[in-house]
Amino acid sequence: MRTSVKEVLNRVEAAEGISVAGWVRTRRDSKDFSFLEVNDGSCLAGLQIIADAGVKGYEDIQMMSTGSAIRVEGNLVASPGEGQSWELQATALVLLGSAPEDYPLQKKRHGPEFLREIAHLRPRTNLFGAVFRTRSRLALAVHHFFEKRGFVYVHTPIITANDCEGAGEMFKINTDGANLQDGEHFFGKPAHLTVSGQLEGETFACALSNIYTFGPTFRAENSHTSRHASEFWMIEPEMAFCNLEGDMDLAESFVKELTQEILDGPGDDFGLFSKFVDKELEPRLRMIVERPFARISYTDAVRVLEDSGHDFEYPVAWGENLQSEHERYLTEEYCKSPVTVFDYPETIKPFYMRRNDDQKTVAAMDVLVPGIGEIIGGSQREERLDVLRDNMSSAGLREEDYQWYLDLRKFGSVPHAGFGLGFERMLMMVTGVQNIRDVIPFPRTPGACGP
Ligand code: 4AD
Ligand code: MG
């Protein structure tokens, strides 16, 4: 039976008859034997193999080049070499799949741009192996967080007819060969890929109290930044009987606990990030876990930015969206910690947010973190039927399209609140990776839809 390299390296005793399989990272030949390093992606480290010239399968050794796949049987012995505890003394080698000379990962280090062009092979590099193992771990940490608190995981639809964020940045769904007449819609009305599971999530919160969604979302914004993707994953908790303060509290605990789980995880992957990707990563993450997040109203934040004397590219004015440079200034320079900005102007926020008593702002909040800017956007929802109707009509939404959403306010309406955390932005935060394209297995961005 095959043992993973990770299991082998974690062994406390020598053993005979071990079988491993993986891809050759390097091979060095001497007169009577060869050294191979084999990695199977189960952990960052590879396993050192020593194969004497006489062992079974050695006749294929020249084909066991970098990138080829092999299986090795052998005995595990303490390694005299530095930097590794075990090595495998091969008793038999099997070439599973050779890799000709044009295998693109021959060199030790390649730049991220080059590796993006070979998204199908980059998980075989140290950095991307570590990123995608961490992605998996972070996804599990999300479920742990909510499980501990009794939240129900709800799968909201990917195909929808509503535009939650009202920004009109949607990918329309078309069909080929469904024999539709001109102007006829497959679903009876125009449909598109969801930008958020929130509205459907709200209906479940107004029945099961505390729920969360975790799934892919799609935005057709033509933004060419290192923090925007056309397809990304979002986690959206929704809580009935909850106001904005409870929402901000949950958001803060969520970011802290996810960060803590990564700090507590296997040290090898995290060590790679803190050594090679971002030297400030560990102190920054410890600060995020230890310090309470600052909280500041949008109105005060605008004042801080205006009084900062900082030369921003985009002007700051009450009633305008905060730009990324403004967000970064608030978290990195002014607060020197994550900061939750709340009570934004109604005019720049979607229809579902609860109107405040000042009639100018809504109970919205964004969590901004150093190095990224906005990582979470959320709000208390408008639970008053008449106010919601008013908001919808100002937003140009037709009531008949959202009857089900209005029903929640008609039948047993309750205060409720929630937020969305961008999963990839969180992953960028905990790994120090600077470009969202490098934390998504197959990134989709304007102009790019690789394998
Ligand atoms: O602020 P957003 O647009 O909020 C919503 O969609 C709400 N419906 C959430 C809710 O209240 N349930 O998006 C939430 C988060 C952002 O803070 C950001 O982290 C991430 O989703 N995000 C993106 N991540 C990558 N690429 C994009 N194009 C993103 N757009 C938003
Ligand atoms: Mg937002």
mmCIF file with all atom_site columns, all heavy atoms in Angstrom, residues 244-258:
data_model
loop_
_atom_site.group_PDB
_atom_site.id
_atom_site.type_symbol
_atom_site.label_atom_id
_atom_site.label_alt_id
_atom_site.label_comp_id
_atom_site.label_asym_id
_atom_site.label_entity_id
_atom_site.label_seq_id
_atom_site.pdbx_PDB_ins_code
_atom_site.Cartn_x
_atom_site.Cartn_y
_atom_site.Cartn_z
_atom_site.occupancy
_atom_site.B_iso_or_equiv
_atom_site.pdbx_formal_charge
_atom_site.auth_seq_id
_atom_site.auth_comp_id
_atom_site.auth_asym_id
_atom_site.auth_atom_id
_atom_site.pdbx_PDB_model_num
ATOM 1   N N   . LEU A 1 244 ? -26.621 45.534 13.748 1.00 0.00 ? 244 LEU A N   1
ATOM 2   C CA  . LEU A 1 244 ? -25.315 45.781 13.128 1.00 0.00 ? 244 LEU A CA  1
ATOM 3   C C   . LEU A 1 244 ? -24.169 45.487 14.083 1.00 0.00 ? 244 LEU A C   1
ATOM 4   O O   . LEU A 1 244 ? -23.122 44.979 13.667 1.00 0.00 ? 244 LEU A O   1
ATOM 5   C CB  . LEU A 1 244 ? -25.230 47.242 12.644 1.00 0.00 ? 244 LEU A CB  1
ATOM 6   C CG  . LEU A 1 244 ? -23.966 47.543 11.840 1.00 0.00 ? 244 LEU A CG  1
ATOM 7   C CD1 . LEU A 1 244 ? -23.976 46.827 10.494 1.00 0.00 ? 244 LEU A CD1 1
ATOM 8   C CD2 . LEU A 1 244 ? -23.787 49.050 11.620 1.00 0.00 ? 244 LEU A CD2 1
ATOM 9   N N   . GLU A 1 245 ? -24.372 45.783 15.368 1.00 0.00 ? 245 GLU A N   1
ATOM 10  C CA  . GLU A 1 245 ? -23.288 45.553 16.314 1.00 0.00 ? 245 GLU A CA  1
ATOM 11  C C   . GLU A 1 245 ? -22.946 44.068 16.433 1.00 0.00 ? 245 GLU A C   1
ATOM 12  O O   . GLU A 1 245 ? -21.779 43.681 16.413 1.00 0.00 ? 245 GLU A O   1
ATOM 13  C CB  . GLU A 1 245 ? -23.677 46.121 17.678 1.00 0.00 ? 245 GLU A CB  1
ATOM 14  C CG  . GLU A 1 245 ? -22.446 46.469 18.471 1.00 0.00 ? 245 GLU A CG  1
ATOM 15  C CD  . GLU A 1 245 ? -22.793 46.983 19.853 1.00 0.00 ? 245 GLU A CD  1
ATOM 16  O OE1 . GLU A 1 245 ? -23.877 47.589 20.022 1.00 0.00 ? 245 GLU A OE1 1
ATOM 17  O OE2 . GLU A 1 245 ? -21.976 46.746 20.753 1.00 0.00 ? 245 GLU A OE2 1
ATOM 18  N N   . GLY A 1 246 ? -24.010 43.248 16.512 1.00 0.00 ? 246 GLY A N   1
ATOM 19  C CA  . GLY A 1 246 ? -23.790 41.803 16.568 1.00 0.00 ? 246 GLY A CA  1
ATOM 20  C C   . GLY A 1 246 ? -23.096 41.310 15.303 1.00 0.00 ? 246 GLY A C   1
ATOM 21  O O   . GLY A 1 246 ? -22.264 40.401 15.330 1.00 0.00 ? 246 GLY A O   1
ATOM 22  N N   . ASP A 1 247 ? -23.430 41.938 14.194 1.00 0.00 ? 247 ASP A N   1
ATOM 23  C CA  . ASP A 1 247 ? -22.849 41.574 12.903 1.00 0.00 ? 247 ASP A CA  1
ATOM 24  C C   . ASP A 1 247 ? -21.346 41.909 12.899 1.00 0.00 ? 247 ASP A C   1
ATOM 25  O O   . ASP A 1 247 ? -20.511 41.095 12.481 1.00 0.00 ? 247 ASP A O   1
ATOM 26  C CB  . ASP A 1 247 ? -23.579 42.377 11.822 1.00 0.00 ? 247 ASP A CB  1
ATOM 27  C CG  . ASP A 1 247 ? -23.445 41.782 10.434 1.00 0.00 ? 247 ASP A CG  1
ATOM 28  O OD1 . ASP A 1 247 ? -23.410 40.542 10.319 1.00 0.00 ? 247 ASP A OD1 1
ATOM 29  O OD2 . ASP A 1 247 ? -23.378 42.548 9.463  1.00 0.00 ? 247 ASP A OD2 1
ATOM 30  N N   . MET A 1 248 ? -21.005 43.088 13.395 1.00 0.00 ? 248 MET A N   1
ATOM 31  C CA  . MET A 1 248 ? -19.594 43.492 13.432 1.00 0.00 ? 248 MET A CA  1
ATOM 32  C C   . MET A 1 248 ? -18.810 42.589 14.390 1.00 0.00 ? 248 MET A C   1
ATOM 33  O O   . MET A 1 248 ? -17.661 42.236 14.120 1.00 0.00 ? 248 MET A O   1
ATOM 34  C CB  . MET A 1 248 ? -19.469 44.961 13.874 1.00 0.00 ? 248 MET A CB  1
ATOM 35  C CG  . MET A 1 248 ? -20.064 45.932 12.872 1.00 0.00 ? 248 MET A CG  1
ATOM 36  S SD  . MET A 1 248 ? -19.576 47.662 13.127 1.00 0.00 ? 248 MET A SD  1
ATOM 37  C CE  . MET A 1 248 ? -20.586 48.120 14.523 1.00 0.00 ? 248 MET A CE  1
ATOM 38  N N   . ASP A 1 249 ? -19.457 42.208 15.491 1.00 0.00 ? 249 ASP A N   1
ATOM 39  C CA  . ASP A 1 249 ? -18.781 41.311 16.449 1.00 0.00 ? 249 ASP A CA  1
ATOM 40  C C   . ASP A 1 249 ? -18.465 39.964 15.798 1.00 0.00 ? 249 ASP A C   1
ATOM 41  O O   . ASP A 1 249 ? -17.367 39.429 15.946 1.00 0.00 ? 249 ASP A O   1
ATOM 42  C CB  . ASP A 1 249 ? -19.667 41.064 17.683 1.00 0.00 ? 249 ASP A CB  1
ATOM 43  C CG  . ASP A 1 249 ? -19.803 42.313 18.562 1.00 0.00 ? 249 ASP A CG  1
ATOM 44  O OD1 . ASP A 1 249 ? -19.010 43.262 18.367 1.00 0.00 ? 249 ASP A OD1 1
ATOM 45  O OD2 . ASP A 1 249 ? -20.716 42.336 19.411 1.00 0.00 ? 249 ASP A OD2 1
ATOM 46  N N   . LEU A 1 250 ? -19.453 39.423 15.064 1.00 0.00 ? 250 LEU A N   1
ATOM 47  C CA  . LEU A 1 250 ? -19.231 38.116 14.430 1.00 0.00 ? 250 LEU A CA  1
ATOM 48  C C   . LEU A 1 250 ? -18.126 38.223 13.374 1.00 0.00 ? 250 LEU A C   1
ATOM 49  O O   . LEU A 1 250 ? -17.250 37.362 13.273 1.00 0.00 ? 250 LEU A O   1
ATOM 50  C CB  . LEU A 1 250 ? -20.512 37.586 13.781 1.00 0.00 ? 250 LEU A CB  1
ATOM 51  C CG  . LEU A 1 250 ? -20.358 36.145 13.260 1.00 0.00 ? 250 LEU A CG  1
ATOM 52  C CD1 . LEU A 1 250 ? -20.505 35.142 14.408 1.00 0.00 ? 250 LEU A CD1 1
ATOM 53  C CD2 . LEU A 1 250 ? -21.353 35.800 12.163 1.00 0.00 ? 250 LEU A CD2 1
ATOM 54  N N   . ALA A 1 251 ? -18.149 39.304 12.597 1.00 0.00 ? 251 ALA A N   1
ATOM 55  C CA  . ALA A 1 251 ? -17.156 39.487 11.532 1.00 0.00 ? 251 ALA A CA  1
ATOM 56  C C   . ALA A 1 251 ? -15.743 39.530 12.131 1.00 0.00 ? 251 ALA A C   1
ATOM 57  O O   . ALA A 1 251 ? -14.807 38.913 11.610 1.00 0.00 ? 251 ALA A O   1
ATOM 58  C CB  . ALA A 1 251 ? -17.450 40.763 10.753 1.00 0.00 ? 251 ALA A CB  1
ATOM 59  N N   . GLU A 1 252 ? -15.610 40.237 13.238 1.00 0.00 ? 252 GLU A N   1
ATOM 60  C CA  . GLU A 1 252 ? -14.299 40.358 13.876 1.00 0.00 ? 252 GLU A CA  1
ATOM 61  C C   . GLU A 1 252 ? -13.826 38.994 14.397 1.00 0.00 ? 252 GLU A C   1
ATOM 62  O O   . GLU A 1 252 ? -12.680 38.593 14.170 1.00 0.00 ? 252 GLU A O   1
ATOM 63  C CB  . GLU A 1 252 ? -14.393 41.394 15.008 1.00 0.00 ? 252 GLU A CB  1
ATOM 64  C CG  . GLU A 1 252 ? -13.078 41.626 15.716 1.00 0.00 ? 252 GLU A CG  1
ATOM 65  C CD  . GLU A 1 252 ? -13.097 42.854 16.626 1.00 0.00 ? 252 GLU A CD  1
ATOM 66  O OE1 . GLU A 1 252 ? -13.936 43.766 16.443 1.00 0.00 ? 252 GLU A OE1 1
ATOM 67  O OE2 . GLU A 1 252 ? -12.244 42.899 17.533 1.00 0.00 ? 252 GLU A OE2 1
ATOM 68  N N   . SER A 1 253 ? -14.723 38.277 15.082 1.00 0.00 ? 253 SER A N   1
ATOM 69  C CA  . SER A 1 253 ? -14.334 36.944 15.587 1.00 0.00 ? 253 SER A CA  1
ATOM 70  C C   . SER A 1 253 ? -13.959 36.023 14.431 1.00 0.00 ? 253 SER A C   1
ATOM 71  O O   . SER A 1 253 ? -13.043 35.206 14.545 1.00 0.00 ? 253 SER A O   1
ATOM 72  C CB  . SER A 1 253 ? -15.483 36.263 16.336 1.00 0.00 ? 253 SER A CB  1
ATOM 73  O OG  . SER A 1 253 ? -16.017 37.105 17.282 1.00 0.00 ? 253 SER A OG  1
ATOM 74  N N   . PHE A 1 254 ? -14.686 36.151 13.338 1.00 0.00 ? 254 PHE A N   1
ATOM 75  C CA  . PHE A 1 254 ? -14.462 35.269 12.186 1.00 0.00 ? 254 PHE A CA  1
ATOM 76  C C   . PHE A 1 254 ? -13.055 35.481 11.625 1.00 0.00 ? 254 PHE A C   1
ATOM 77  O O   . PHE A 1 254 ? -12.292 34.517 11.440 1.00 0.00 ? 254 PHE A O   1
ATOM 78  C CB  . PHE A 1 254 ? -15.528 35.587 11.123 1.00 0.00 ? 254 PHE A CB  1
ATOM 79  C CG  . PHE A 1 254 ? -15.632 34.615 9.987  1.00 0.00 ? 254 PHE A CG  1
ATOM 80  C CD1 . PHE A 1 254 ? -15.423 33.258 10.165 1.00 0.00 ? 254 PHE A CD1 1
ATOM 81  C CD2 . PHE A 1 254 ? -15.987 35.062 8.709  1.00 0.00 ? 254 PHE A CD2 1
ATOM 82  C CE1 . PHE A 1 254 ? -15.539 32.360 9.103  1.00 0.00 ? 254 PHE A CE1 1
ATOM 83  C CE2 . PHE A 1 254 ? -16.113 34.186 7.646  1.00 0.00 ? 254 PHE A CE2 1
ATOM 84  C CZ  . PHE A 1 254 ? -15.886 32.839 7.844  1.00 0.00 ? 254 PHE A CZ  1
ATOM 85  N N   . VAL A 1 255 ? -12.698 36.718 11.377 1.00 0.00 ? 255 VAL A N   1
ATOM 86  C CA  . VAL A 1 255 ? -11.368 37.007 10.819 1.00 0.00 ? 255 VAL A CA  1
ATOM 87  C C   . VAL A 1 255 ? -10.281 36.556 11.801 1.00 0.00 ? 255 VAL A C   1
ATOM 88  O O   . VAL A 1 255 ? -9.276  35.940 11.418 1.00 0.00 ? 255 VAL A O   1
ATOM 89  C CB  . VAL A 1 255 ? -11.231 38.514 10.486 1.00 0.00 ? 255 VAL A CB  1
ATOM 90  C CG1 . VAL A 1 255 ? -9.799  38.859 10.100 1.00 0.00 ? 255 VAL A CG1 1
ATOM 91  C CG2 . VAL A 1 255 ? -12.184 38.897 9.355  1.00 0.00 ? 255 VAL A CG2 1
ATOM 92  N N   . LYS A 1 256 ? -10.490 36.805 13.075 1.00 0.00 ? 256 LYS A N   1
ATOM 93  C CA  . LYS A 1 256 ? -9.481  36.425 14.076 1.00 0.00 ? 256 LYS A CA  1
ATOM 94  C C   . LYS A 1 256 ? -9.317  34.906 14.161 1.00 0.00 ? 256 LYS A C   1
ATOM 95  O O   . LYS A 1 256 ? -8.210  34.386 14.163 1.00 0.00 ? 256 LYS A O   1
ATOM 96  C CB  . LYS A 1 256 ? -9.890  36.952 15.461 1.00 0.00 ? 256 LYS A CB  1
ATOM 97  C CG  . LYS A 1 256 ? -9.605  38.439 15.677 1.00 0.00 ? 256 LYS A CG  1
ATOM 98  C CD  . LYS A 1 256 ? -10.043 38.827 17.086 1.00 0.00 ? 256 LYS A CD  1
ATOM 99  C CE  . LYS A 1 256 ? -9.926  40.324 17.340 1.00 0.00 ? 256 LYS A CE  1
ATOM 100 N NZ  . LYS A 1 256 ? -8.566  40.813 17.417 1.00 0.00 ? 256 LYS A NZ  1
ATOM 101 N N   . GLU A 1 257 ? -10.449 34.194 14.211 1.00 0.00 ? 257 GLU A N   1
ATOM 102 C CA  . GLU A 1 257 ? -10.348 32.734 14.383 1.00 0.00 ? 257 GLU A CA  1
ATOM 103 C C   . GLU A 1 257 ? -9.769  32.036 13.159 1.00 0.00 ? 257 GLU A C   1
ATOM 104 O O   . GLU A 1 257 ? -9.004  31.079 13.287 1.00 0.00 ? 257 GLU A O   1
ATOM 105 C CB  . GLU A 1 257 ? -11.711 32.134 14.751 1.00 0.00 ? 257 GLU A CB  1
ATOM 106 C CG  . GLU A 1 257 ? -12.011 32.341 16.225 1.00 0.00 ? 257 GLU A CG  1
ATOM 107 C CD  . GLU A 1 257 ? -13.167 31.484 16.723 1.00 0.00 ? 257 GLU A CD  1
ATOM 108 O OE1 . GLU A 1 257 ? -13.338 30.321 16.264 1.00 0.00 ? 257 GLU A OE1 1
ATOM 109 O OE2 . GLU A 1 257 ? -13.892 31.990 17.566 1.00 0.00 ? 257 GLU A OE2 1
ATOM 110 N N   . LEU A 1 258 ? -10.137 32.516 11.977 1.00 0.00 ? 258 LEU A N   1
ATOM 111 C CA  . LEU A 1 258 ? -9.563  31.911 10.766 1.00 0.00 ? 258 LEU A CA  1
ATOM 112 C C   . LEU A 1 258 ? -8.050  32.142 10.756 1.00 0.00 ? 258 LEU A C   1
ATOM 113 O O   . LEU A 1 258 ? -7.263  31.245 10.423 1.00 0.00 ? 258 LEU A O   1
ATOM 114 C CB  . LEU A 1 258 ? -10.183 32.506 9.496  1.00 0.00 ? 258 LEU A CB  1
ATOM 115 C CG  . LEU A 1 258 ? -11.647 32.189 9.200  1.00 0.00 ? 258 LEU A CG  1
ATOM 116 C CD1 . LEU A 1 258 ? -12.056 32.771 7.851  1.00 0.00 ? 258 LEU A CD1 1
ATOM 117 C CD2 . LEU A 1 258 ? -11.898 30.686 9.196  1.00 0.00 ? 258 LEU A CD2 1
#
